[in-house]
Amino acid sequence: MSIINKTVKNQTKPVTQFDVAWAKLQVLWQKLTKFADKHPKLTQCLKFVIVFTVFGLIVWNTIDPDFGWHLQAGRYILAHWVPGHDVFTYTARNYRWIDHEWLSDVINALIFNRISYIGLTLVFAGVWTSALFVTGKRYLITMLLAAIAIQPYVSVRPMAWSALLLAVLIRLSESKRLRSKFIFLMPLIIMLWTNLHGGFIIGLAYIGFLLIKERDWLWLKIFGLSILATFINPYGPRLYFEVFTTLFDSQLHWQIVEWRPFLIFWQSQAYISLWIAGTILYTKKKFDDLFTFDKLLFLAGLSSTRHIILFVIAAMPKLEDYAKQARKNIPKKPKLRVKVVLVILVLIVLGDVGYGVYRSGVSWIPQKYDISTDFTVYTYLKDHPCSGNIFNSYNLGGFLIWQLPNQPIYIDGRMPSWRNEQGQKYFNIYTKIFSDDRLRKSEFSKYDVKCALLLRDNQTNKLVGRLENEHWHQTYITSEAILLEN
């Protein structure tokens, strides 16, 4: 006799459509569980393919504004070695640029030069997916929630390597079998991480956290070796200057959206809410349970939204444990109100995942620092070169470096914390140009600016109007940008 018939037969009260639907869900869940138990390797492969597909859609439909300068930096390094000064702008030529993501840039260039953006899509979809699978792979739904939670931050960007390598460190430390065999690989991981992305500071913080929590001399050795490993990079100790300049630039945290504090995108809210609920319900009042790295990274995510990525990775094991405990606590014959709550919860989670997948793969709507781009304006500039230098919107700098590699630009995504010889921040000068006509005229005269490529928004619309009053004229317009010439 089927579960549905048993449920209906055993009912003392009148059978409702809800009871029938609940029984059907039980049957479906049992079938899925039996299949997973019978074919564990195939199940894991299917989970990986599903999550990989989600990330592939996100990466394919998202080009980060910084992608262009990362690509060209990688090409420059392959041809000349790491730069000792800025090579892309006409404003900061004397600035001692430290490309702390140089190895990631080289990887991008090598892949793109051979198989274009589709190759990078496949590689980075694999990196993002692997980051989730390293720390957690028990439930598909938690991994899909995690994928959607970091959707606003996902693209071809060096941050992916930080997500993956943090996951590797967590797995090494939490698995007794792996810890006994591979713990001394941690300094080598930190060395690799140091050359891939400035997020290696989080890796050091994690090892320091383990040292404080476990108070073991072994962790002191690992921590010391890991610090020494960070100096194995083309810039030596100067690398720390670039990293700390960015981390401790309080002004940057309000100027650049991905660094903004107390900003949680809707995609992350379901994941965070479930993690908070599980933490409240299932955390024991012991020091080891209260003092965890995922909680520290959550605080870091509140201080800067980009750290939500690392929080999601670190919280995966905990969230899956909470899901397992919640599943055990569900009574075999739950009351109607419990059934209703569970169904609503499942619908909310599925709705979040479904809408997130739809947005990532079907109708990507640009937000925060990711923008869609009409490349025809760059084709126009190739065919009709500017007679002088180009003033550009901050988020278009990377695209100009990529599409017009021989054309120096005014500003790009590397420069929010850079200062000129007078101690002024290039980014502050840039923002003042939109409101200070005297400064704008001085900058345009100083650098022989004859063209302006601007994003179409409220800030630039006012500047466009003032330029047109000074006899500048619009020469090319797209849905995102406008080109003016003098």
Side-chain angles (χ1 to χ4, degrees), residues 252-273:
L252 166 72
H253 287 231
W254 296 101
Q255 291 174 326
I256 307 301
V257 176
E258 71 163 324
W259 284 94
R260 193 167 295 170
F262 304 108
L263 175 62
I264 298 176
F265 296 102
W266 69 263
Q267 293 96 326
S268 308
Q269 291 173 9
Y271 184 96
I272 292 173
S273 298

Side-chain angles (χ1 to χ4, degrees), residues 198-214:
F200 72 89
I201 293 294
I202 298 294
L204 289 178
Y206 179 65
I207 297 173
F209 163 82
L210 294 173
L211 171 61
I212 294 171
K213 187 172 183 178
E214 299 188 14

Side-chain angles (χ1 to χ4, degrees), residues 100 198-201 238-248:
H100 61 83
F200 72 89
I201 293 294
R238 286 199 299 127
L239 181 67
Y240 279 95
F241 172 80
E242 181 73 14
V243 173
F244 287 139
T245 297
T246 302
L247 282 177
F248 297 112

Side-chain angles (χ1 to χ4, degrees), residues 191-255:
M191 182 184 71
L192 175 63
W193 193 346
T194 301
N195 291 278
L196 285 168
H197 186 243
F200 72 89
I201 293 294
I202 298 294
L204 289 178
Y206 179 65
I207 297 173
F209 163 82
L210 294 173
L211 171 61
I212 294 171
K213 187 172 183 178
E214 299 188 14
R215 297 179 293 280
D216 189 327
W217 282 104
L218 177 62
W219 286 118
L220 182 59
K221 294 177 184 178
I222 298 296
F223 187 63
L225 290 172
S226 296
I227 290 177
L228 291 176
T230 63
F231 292 98
I232 304 174
N233 71 85
Y235 302 98
R238 286 199 299 127
L239 181 67
Y240 279 95
F241 172 80
E242 181 73 14
V243 173
F244 287 139
T245 297
T246 302
L247 282 177
F248 297 112
D249 186 344
S250 58
Q251 192 178 37
L252 166 72
H253 287 231
W254 296 101
Q255 291 174 326

Side-chain angles (χ1 to χ4, degrees), residues 382-399:
K382 290 176 185 176
D383 297 334
H384 305 83
C386 183
S387 59
N389 281 318
I390 301 175
F391 173 79
N392 60 279
S393 289
Y394 173 80
N395 271 341
L396 294 179
F399 291 103

Side-chain angles (χ1 to χ4, degrees), residues 270-283:
Y271 184 96
I272 292 173
S273 298
L274 291 173
W275 174 81
I276 290 174
T279 301
I280 294 172
L281 292 173
Y282 300 115
T283 298

